[in-house]
Amino acid sequence: MASRCWRWWGWSAWPRTRLPPAGSTPSFCHHFSTQEKTPQICVVGSGPAGFYTAQHLLKRVEALCSQPRVLNSPALSGEGEDLGASQPLSLGPTSCHPVPQQHPQAHVDIYEKQPVPFGLVRFGVAPDHPEVKNVINTFTQTAHSGRCAFWGNVEVGRDVTVPELQEAYHAVVLSYGAEDHRALEIPGEELPGVCSARAFVGWYNGLPENQELEPDLSCDTAVILGQGNVALDVARILLTPPEHLEALLLCQRTDITKAALGVLRQSRVKTVWLVGRRGPLQVAFTIKELREMIQLPGARPILDPVDFLGLQDKIKEVPRPRKRLTELLLRTATEKPGPAEAARQASASRAWGLRFFRSPQQVLPSPDGRRAAGVRLAVTRLEGVDEATRAVPTGDMEDLPCGLVLSSIGYKSRPVDPSVPFDSKLGVIPNVEGRVMDVPGLYCSGWVKRGPTGVIATTMTDSFLTGQMLLQDLKAGLLPSGPRPGYAAIQALLSSRGVRPVSFSDWEKLDAEEVARGQGTGKPREKLVDPQEMLRLLGH
């Protein structure tokens, strides 16, 4: 049914365009000729999904305009691709028709509501994982292309609408990620001492909207509801000894904010529990993050061997990554550590543990009712097999005392504009392979397309696929055929509304300022966290 609907709009949405005759080879050049126009494409969001989409569009349009046989070219099939490159190809004549030396090519504008680019890489990656942020170098290459422009400090849906973007561009790709968190929807969630892991991560990573969070770390025990990578990141940051944080500073291996570092140095949190509804076979974190937790200086793991009974037989048929992860959990829970590890654990002043088969029912208040003092958990058991496995309550309850509750049960996208379809239950834009349903010329990539799952490499693949669908439609003549003004029209609208966009060269000035401020404290950078200060530094 979905494919029939898609074919329908392809034929009827723009009467001026026609699909190529049967048996012919559709050609990009037939629809965007040399003399006429440059395809104008807009991407909303400058995180991994946005930049990877832009990168693919820029490279593939080059290939489409330079290859005589577009349907069979290696560029179209993805063979021999260098993911880090973004330099224009040297273009010559094609089989479409004679062309001059400089063939017009697609231009991509990337809009971002923050004054700074890179989204989740800047604000979501753990500050003690600097190697993961190296992908910024690739994104910077893309931004430096003469056919790509970054425009920060522009909030789509507020400063400019999606229909206005559609009027200015041949195609619009929504790649703005997941800016919200899934609520617990249990009593007591609103108490002081309860916050989302997303907000906590944003706080220590310098996300402007989370800088007033002020988490109270004066308690002994914290509970994280969730067992994914974000939950482990938060637990690791909470339990990292102050002296280890100082060592990371000396090695220039953390860009955690100055304010967050000051609070963490004074933290009194000694124990962190990570709670999950299901069992060890269903945890959502990966082996790398688990290994880091097991080896965390000054901390010891607490795992109940009872939770792992019978697991050895069950893991024989599971996929290899899941098997290796579960085997590591199993060894940690059931095997006696060697002398060196035993001595390390015995001297540890902090601890973390995984509580399986527990579902949160209520955040318990302190006696005066002013803040969180614990979590009431329903004991669960598993029903079903494989992907259908679900947790059902046994009827038993237990209370877990704590002074800090962090919810880490998932991120969630928000609707960006009333004109864009949005599935509130799933938190995604309804789409078929990245094509937004019932809205020709509108696409999506990344978390807003598929939901908040996977790692940066997953988003890269997903974004490339959306870019490929867009280029197929462009090549087949399914996008508007007339010229579009692109940023020139949007710039006029923003100017009339008092919005001052931040260019990529502006960002590089802010980047240099952050690096300079970091040098004084031994950090790779000291992040600017106040958008107004950023704009003042730029003279906006």
Side-chain angles (χ1 to χ4, degrees):
M1 181 61 71
S3 60
R4 288 200 295 272
C5 292
W6 188 249
R7 285 197 297 270
W8 175 84
W9 80 249
W11 282 93
S12 65
W14 296 291
R16 294 171 295 172
T17 63
R18 294 182 180 178
L19 290 175
S24 68
T25 300
S27 167
F28 170 87
C29 301
H30 282 310
H31 298 288
F32 286 90
S33 71
T34 319
Q35 306 295 336
E36 250 185 298
K37 59 194 82 76
T38 295
Q40 298 286 339
I41 303 171
C42 153
V43 174
V44 178
S46 70
F51 265 104
Y52 278 130
T53 301
Q55 177 185 325
H56 192 76
L57 289 171
L58 292 170
K59 292 185 67 177
R60 285 302 186 257
V61 169
E62 291 168 354
L64 286 167
C65 287
S66 61
Q67 295 290 336
R69 299 177 62 196
V70 293
L71 288 183
N72 300 318
S73 70
L76 200 62
S77 66
E79 297 171 9
E81 174 160 300
D82 174 9
L83 298 181
S86 60
Q87 298 301 313
L89 300 177
S90 176
L91 300 179
T94 73
S95 62
C96 302
H97 40 63
V99 297
Q101 184 65 29
Q102 297 299 319
H103 195 294
Q105 298 171 335
H107 182 88
V108 179
D109 288 321
I110 302 174
Y111 291 94
E112 167 61 52
K113 77 171 189 176
Q114 301 291 343
V116 296
F118 309 133
L120 191 68
V121 179
R122 178 179 170 93
F123 297 122
V125 172
D128 56 347
H129 285 175
E131 69 284 352
V132 179
K133 301 187 182 189
N134 289 338
V135 71
I136 285 176
N137 298 328
T138 299
F139 298 161
T140 298
Q141 270 191 300
T142 300
H144 282 162
S145 166
R147 297 184 294 110
C148 181
F150 167 81
W151 302 111
N153 195 41
V154 178
E155 185 170 349
V156 173
R158 184 193 67 182
D159 301 328
V160 61
T161 67
V162 171
E164 287 169 338
L165 292 175
Q166 290 176 289
E167 285 293 314
Y169 292 89
H170 293 100
V172 175
V173 186
L174 301 174
S175 309
Y176 59 86
E179 299 180 306
D180 208 346
H181 68 279
R182 287 178 56 196
L184 291 169
E185 298 181 349
I186 60 175
E189 184 175 11
E190 74 291 343
L191 285 169
V194 181
C195 72
S196 71
R198 183 194 181 280
F200 191 77
V201 169
W203 168 71
Y204 63 62
N205 270 330
L207 184 60
E209 65 194 59
N210 297 133
Q211 291 316 291
E212 296 183 3
L213 184 65
E214 297 182 354
D216 184 355
L217 305 184
S218 62
C219 59
D220 176 81
T221 302
V223 169
I224 302 174
L225 301 173
Q227 293 180 339
N229 278 343
V230 173
L232 283 192
D233 281 347
V234 169
R236 191 178 66 256
I237 295 297
L238 280 172
L239 293 176
T240 297
E243 60 272 19
H244 189 64
L245 288 174
E246 301 296 341
L248 289 175
L249 281 177
L250 291 174
C251 299
Q252 290 200 338
R253 285 186 54 82
T254 181
D255 61 359
I256 194 167
T257 65
K258 181 179 179 181
L261 194 57
V263 173
L264 289 166
R265 281 181 178 132
Q266 303 300 317
S267 172
R268 295 172 60 188
V269 175
K270 300 298 182 184
T271 305
V272 175
W273 291 104
L274 298 98
V275 177
R277 293 177 298 111
R278 299 188 291 174
L281 266 178
Q282 290 79 36
V283 295
F285 50 73
T286 53
I287 194 168
K288 176 181 180 293
E289 280 68 25
L290 174 61
R291 196 175 284 120
E292 282 185 304
M293 282 301 296
I294 293 172
Q295 299 170 352
L296 185 65
R300 61 185 176 87
I302 305 173
L303 299 177
D304 188 347
V306 173
D307 291 332
F308 297 85
L309 291 176
L311 207 59
Q312 190 69 58
D313 293 332
K314 293 180 181 179
I315 63 176
K316 291 180 180 178
E317 304 301 323
V318 301
R320 186 169 181 271
R322 172 66 64 179
K323 183 179 180 180
R324 290 177 60 236
L325 170 65
T326 310
E327 286 174 339
L328 179 57
L329 278 171
L330 194 59
R331 289 195 302 271
T332 305
T334 61
E335 294 183 3
K336 184 178 179 180
E341 177 62 14
R344 186 190 74 82
Q345 291 187 16
S347 64
S349 60
R350 304 181 183 202
W352 62 276
L354 297 171
R355 299 295 292 270
F356 298 110
F357 309 110
R358 302 291 187 272
S359 178
Q361 302 299 300
Q362 179 185 355
V363 177
L364 301 172
S366 58
D368 61 8
R370 293 186 177 181
R371 61 175 298 104
V375 183
R376 178 156 294 162
L377 303 169
V379 180
T380 63
R381 58 181 172 82
L382 298 184
E383 287 187 354
V385 295
D386 299 329
E387 297 299 320
T389 302
R390 62 191 184 95
V392 296
T394 64
D396 294 332
M397 294 280 182
E398 66 179 35
D399 293 346
L400 184 58
C402 66
L404 177 66
V405 180
L406 295 156
S407 167
S408 186
I409 59 173
Y411 288 18
K412 185 175 69 174
S413 295
R414 300 171 181 164
V416 69
D417 190 286
S419 68
V420 179
F422 191 79
D423 187 324
S424 298
K425 184 177 180 180
L426 297 178
V428 298
I429 295 173
N431 69 92
V432 179
E433 296 181 312
R435 300 173 172 109
V436 176
M437 294 178 67
D438 302 320
V439 189
L442 190 61
Y443 302 81
C444 57
S445 68
W447 283 2
V448 76
K449 169 187 173 183
R450 71 178 190 278
T453 60
V455 294
I456 290 177
T458 317
T459 295
M460 178 184 71
T461 303
D462 169 274
S463 302
F464 283 3
L465 289 173
T466 291
Q468 192 69 13
M469 295 303 104
L470 190 159
L471 292 177
Q472 285 182 12
D473 296 343
L474 187 65
K475 184 177 58 169
L478 299 180
L479 298 182
S481 59
R484 294 291 171 104
Y487 179 67
I490 302 304
Q491 183 182 35
L493 283 175
L494 295 175
S495 178
S496 70
R497 295 165 184 171
V499 179
R500 298 284 299 274
V502 172
S503 68
F504 200 78
S505 62
D506 288 334
W507 148 245
E508 291 180 318
K509 295 173 186 175
L510 297 176
D511 179 44
E513 175 67 19
E514 289 187 345
V515 171
R517 293 187 182 189
Q519 287 175 347
T521 57
K523 296 168 64 177
R525 69 177 61 244
E526 184 61 58
K527 286 180 180 175
L528 297 165
V529 298
D530 181 358
Q532 294 307 312
E533 182 186 7
M534 298 180 200
L535 297 179
R536 284 196 302 270
L537 287 169
L538 295 172
H540 279 33

